[in-house]
Amino acid sequence: MKNSIILKKELQRIDGRGYKSYKDLQGEYDFKDYILSIDYVQGDPFASPSRLRIIINKNKAGFPEDLISEYYKKVAVSDFLTRLFYFNINKFSEKIFSSGKSGLIAISRCPQEILERTSIIINRDNIEARFYVGFPAKGRTVLARELEKILYNVIPSIVENTLIYKNINKAKVIDRVKLVQDQEYIRSEITKRGLIAFIANGSILPRESGVSQKPLKNALPFKSPKSLEVEINIPNRGLIKGMGIKKGVTLIVGGGYHGKSTLLNALELGVYNHVEGDGREFVITDNTAVKVRAEDGRSIKNTDISLFIDNLPNGKDTIRFTTENASGSTSQAANIVEAIESKSTVLLIDEDTSATNFMIRDDLMQRLVSKEKEPITPFIEIVRPLYSQKDISTILVIGSSGDYFDVADCVIQMDNYEAKDVTKEAKSLMRGEINKRIGGKNTKININFNRKLQKGTIESTYKGVKIKTMGLSNININNENIDLRAVEQIVDNEQLNAIGFIMKYIEDNMMGKDLSLEQAVTEAYKEIEINGLISIDTIKGGSGSMSLPRKQEIMAAYNRYRNLKINK
Ligand code: ADP
Ligand code: MG
């Protein structure tokens, strides 16, 4: 392997030459304490920055084995170190005034959620940091001296203060690991107790603003009603108390602006662990929970929505329902069926984002428009059988229809941001219309899930597969956009990168095996579990960092991809 002295000579050699001569630097260099690997060099100063890696021997890094011995610990430490690396970039890098992205150093910017990511990878023998550097240019020529400063001053300082255990704040990293341990403990504990969610007393649920996931200052902390309070004895903090939501059908009711959606939003993201100070550290939801909503305009391919919709006026097949432009109700039906197909056992629904005609039909309307003339069986008639026959629970925000009292196990009222258990009152007000209606029908939940993923979903052009992502809601594959605005449980842009790679991985490795979409995604997930998220990074040259999405979001992306090839 070449070493740092050779690299310095190379830098001097190419100084002032055309920008392309930076390409000569590609390769690995021994820096004594670590290896610097220049994996990919950008073509010009304005292109996406060059990709570099630091590989440091575990003994050198000195993290105690006990701190990184299990999957959840590795995730916690890797998350911690990514944030620290990010912080240290700002601390140690100097601004250079020159062309394009010159001199920019970047690593993944972590959201409030703690995810497995490829920015810092803890392997058996070493720790790897993946980051980006904009190779400095003056006009379109190499500014070698500036890159020399970055590689010989800035990066060594960052490494020294991020990847060497004795130099970092040990208490903080240990706390992070303990926090995740507590969160994982609650996760397993709620499952054991037949709960689908836990919200600790004292949690801060509202966020600072629509564009900031930081906690709202001066918010009213959450407090469980006594009747719903459960206690969990967690490993590092002892007894904690909070509201337990049981399996079944739970309603969140209350006046407008009283905190209903805020509670549901916190539950949506409770599928992930959160960092300390977030306020939702101990808001823990069943891992498989999916937020479903109406999403008109989306495409649907061969999805069986007949449970909700049949006898369409145009005679359209609803067992293999296909459209390029779904309506509010058909999209919400498909979203529910696809969530169940992705093995979700908890549905989260907010009336704010639902199609009214999908959610309810009241008695008067039922009398005026006979069943034969109405293709939609509203969710209110399905939510109960879904639980009793398929063990699928629902948490619903519903401020406007008391008919739902009939089908609820638990009714929580949000009153000035305070949760109250009003189940008894709600049940005493019940009119029983819906129960009569359901009782008469005896709905059998029978959904045909046998959709097989076909070859050609991800097509390789002569340039390979082009995957680009934007923000939290767009994946662009070969210029076809996947719109994920309605998939609300994506929290990190790098999850979208991962989804793109996983789709490509599946196309390359699993076609011809006659797998359903769910099986294919599960297989890819197994590979990730065994070899880490990085193992599915198969696109040479242009790959970005990744963070782990859930199976549910991967399937959601497939289902919204207009080039999806799927048969039934
Ligand atoms: P709803 O869905 O009942 O109409 P929201 O959940 O949208 O109400 O909440 C309305 C507003 O109240 C939001 O701006 C939210 O940030 C704020 N809010 C919610 N919960 C709290 C709380 N615990 N303390 C302070 N403000 C809150
Ligand atoms: Mg609301």
Side-chain angles (χ1 to χ4, degrees):
M1 191 189 302
K2 290 180 273 190
N3 62 26
S4 59
I5 300 164
I6 294 181
L7 178 60
K8 206 175 253 182
K9 284 201 185 120
E10 274 291 285
L11 275 168
Q12 283 154 6
R13 182 181 66 81
I14 63 170
D15 191 24
R17 294 201 186 177
Y19 199 82
K20 288 265 185 295
S21 18
Y22 266 139
K23 293 263 181 205
D24 299 349
L25 303 183
Q26 211 148 305
E28 296 194 345
Y29 302 91
D30 188 346
F31 269 66
K32 284 215 180 80
D33 287 347
Y34 56 83
I35 292 165
L36 171 74
S37 178
I38 301 177
D39 293 328
Y40 167 80
V41 178
Q42 65 203 100
D44 72 84
F46 299 90
S48 23
S50 305
R51 296 205 323 268
L52 284 74
R53 236 171 342 137
I54 297 290
I55 303 146
I56 185 163
N57 187 280
K58 254 186 176 169
N59 296 331
K60 189 91 210 170
F63 285 79
E65 199 49 40
D66 180 49
L67 208 59
I68 46 178
S69 56
E70 284 174 64
Y71 174 75
Y72 82 86
K73 294 180 178 176
K74 280 191 192 158
V75 171
V77 172
S78 147
D79 171 272
F80 182 90
L81 296 180
T82 303
R83 290 171 206 266
L84 183 59
F85 200 111
Y86 186 93
F87 174 85
N88 281 331
I89 288 173
N90 290 322
K91 184 164 171 191
F92 294 106
S93 59
E94 301 155 30
K95 262 224 153 0
I96 346 181
F97 296 96
S98 45
S99 341
K101 292 170 182 154
S102 280
L104 166 121
I105 309 176
I107 196 163
S108 310
R109 178 165 197 177
C110 301
Q112 297 289 92
E113 288 77 16
I114 301 169
L115 307 170
E116 177 181 347
R117 43 177 71 251
T118 59
S119 46
I120 304 271
I121 298 178
I122 301 168
N123 288 321
R124 209 190 52 185
D125 301 321
N126 47 43
I127 298 180
E128 244 182 65
R130 285 158 195 268
F131 58 101
Y132 304 86
V133 175
F135 282 7
K138 187 174 174 211
R140 289 186 187 275
T141 62
V142 166
L143 248 185
R145 226 158 278 145
E146 292 299 335
L147 185 56
E148 190 181 313
K149 273 192 220 159
I150 291 173
L151 300 181
Y152 292 84
N153 303 339
V154 181
I155 298 213
S157 304
I158 296 172
V159 172
E160 191 67 22
N161 290 284
T162 307
L163 300 177
I164 306 288
Y165 184 65
K166 66 173 168 37
N167 297 336
I168 69 175
N169 188 328
K170 298 179 193 63
K172 272 195 173 167
V173 66
I174 292 168
D175 279 354
R176 175 67 55 82
V177 171
K178 284 183 171 171
L179 174 64
V180 175
Q181 183 183 26
D182 284 342
Q183 291 165 333
E184 290 301 311
Y185 184 85
I186 297 173
R187 245 172 238 296
S188 65
E189 194 59 25
I190 62 171
T191 315
K192 276 186 210 150
R193 297 191 194 182
L195 300 174
I196 51 173
F198 175 80
I199 304 171
N201 293 344
S203 296
I204 300 296
L205 308 185
R207 299 296 97 190
E208 201 167 62
S209 74
V211 293
S212 164
Q213 282 291 306
K214 295 267 157 58
L216 179 71
K217 290 180 191 86
N218 304 318
L220 187 74
F222 185 84
K223 191 168 183 332
S224 174
K226 271 281 166 273
S227 53
L228 299 176
E229 197 167 77
V230 295
E231 292 182 348
I232 303 181
N233 196 359
I234 58 178
N236 302 299
R237 288 168 172 80
L239 213 57
I240 74 168
K241 293 181 187 181
M243 182 168 86
I245 299 181
K246 290 199 185 76
K247 286 181 171 190
V249 179
T250 301
L251 307 184
I252 301 170
V253 303
Y257 224 66
H258 278 257
K260 304 184 298 296
S261 298
T262 302
L263 172 57
L264 194 77
N265 290 340
L267 291 171
E268 283 165 33
L269 298 185
V271 300
Y272 300 113
N273 294 330
H274 288 90
V275 291
E276 60 278 359
D278 176 82
R280 300 168 296 185
E281 292 92 315
F282 301 114
V283 178
I284 303 287
T285 311
D286 180 295
N287 277 339
T288 69
V290 172
K291 165 74 176 285
V292 281
R293 50 172 291 169
E295 187 188 354
D296 39 306
R298 65 159 284 193
S299 68
I300 299 173
K301 291 254 161 74
N302 285 325
T303 296
D304 178 4
I305 57 169
S306 61
L307 179 61
F308 298 105
I309 295 169
D310 57 8
N311 295 324
L312 282 176
N314 55 7
K316 213 168 148 67
D317 181 357
T318 56
I319 296 177
R320 284 169 219 84
F321 189 73
T322 298
T323 178
E324 282 297 322
N325 187 9
S327 65
S329 52
T330 50
S331 62
Q332 194 159 5
N335 286 353
I336 289 181
V337 168
E338 289 164 359
I340 299 171
E341 186 178 30
S342 75
K343 300 279 193 267
S344 169
T345 57
V346 178
L347 304 175
L348 306 172
I349 300 179
D350 193 328
E351 65 180 356
D352 287 355
T353 50
S354 292
T356 311
N357 60 344
F358 179 80
M359 297 302 289
I360 40 173
R361 179 146 24 90
D362 75 6
D363 220 45
L364 276 184
M365 196 54 86
Q366 177 93 350
R367 277 187 245 168
L368 180 72
V369 182
S370 66
K371 172 62 198 152
E372 302 77 64
K373 293 268 159 59
E374 175 49 270
I376 303 174
T377 304
F379 189 66
I380 195 166
E381 295 179 23
I382 303 290
V383 64
R384 201 70 237 162
L386 216 44
Y387 178 56
S388 56
Q389 293 172 39
K390 298 286 171 193
D391 204 27
I392 294 166
S393 300
T394 303
I395 303 176
L396 270 158
V397 169
I398 197 108
S400 64
S401 169
D403 277 348
Y404 265 95
F405 297 162
D406 276 23
V407 293
D409 296 296
C410 176
V411 184
I412 298 163
Q413 180 180 357
M414 293 309 286
D415 182 2
N416 271 309
Y417 315 135
E418 201 188 312
K420 294 178 173 166
D421 179 0
V422 295
T423 311
K424 282 208 186 88
E425 291 88 321
K427 286 287 170 189
S428 72
L429 291 172
M430 227 165 71
R431 287 191 310 198
E433 299 292 350
I434 300 300
N435 281 340
K436 254 185 267 157
R437 229 192 275 170
I438 311 176
K441 270 209 245 168
N442 208 357
T443 307
K444 266 263 161 307
I445 306 286
N446 187 5
I447 308 173
N448 183 337
F449 283 127
N450 203 16
R451 295 195 301 160
K452 297 269 166 64
L453 190 60
Q454 305 295 308
K455 203 171 153 48
T457 296
I458 308 294
E459 280 161 324
S460 241
T461 68
Y462 71 99
K463 280 182 173 165
V465 178
K466 251 181 29 204
I467 300 174
K468 275 192 292 189
T469 63
M470 262 177 317
L472 293 182
S473 52
N474 288 288
I475 307 178
N476 191 289
I477 301 179
N478 296 333
N479 291 327
E480 174 84 68
N481 191 54
I482 310 180
D483 182 347
L484 296 170
R485 271 175 301 178
V487 182
E488 295 176 10
Q489 289 159 293
I490 290 169
V491 292
D492 185 27
N493 168 263
E494 295 186 356
Q495 289 180 310
L496 299 185
N497 285 343
I499 290 174
F501 287 122
I502 290 167
M503 289 171 82
K504 169 144 191 337
Y505 177 85
I506 288 173
E507 181 76 30
D508 291 345
N509 295 283
M510 281 168 213
M511 291 302 110
K513 289 190 183 172
D514 202 34
L515 300 178
S516 71
L517 175 58
E518 195 272 330
Q519 286 166 332
V521 173
T522 303
E523 287 290 306
Y525 230 80
K526 268 187 210 149
E527 170 67 25
I528 293 170
E529 264 163 24
I530 298 166
N531 295 317
L533 186 52
I534 195 67
S535 65
I536 51 113
D537 179 348
T538 54
I539 298 180
K540 294 230 158 50
S543 72
S545 309
M546 295 183 274
S547 59
L548 189 64
R550 297 186 308 162
K551 194 159 102 179
Q552 283 75 19
E553 278 70 40
I554 303 170
M555 289 181 63
Y558 268 109
N559 282 321
R560 284 160 183 77
Y561 188 34
R562 289 175 195 270
N563 197 40
L564 171 65
K565 306 274 189 299
I566 197 153
N567 285 351
K568 180 147 77 180

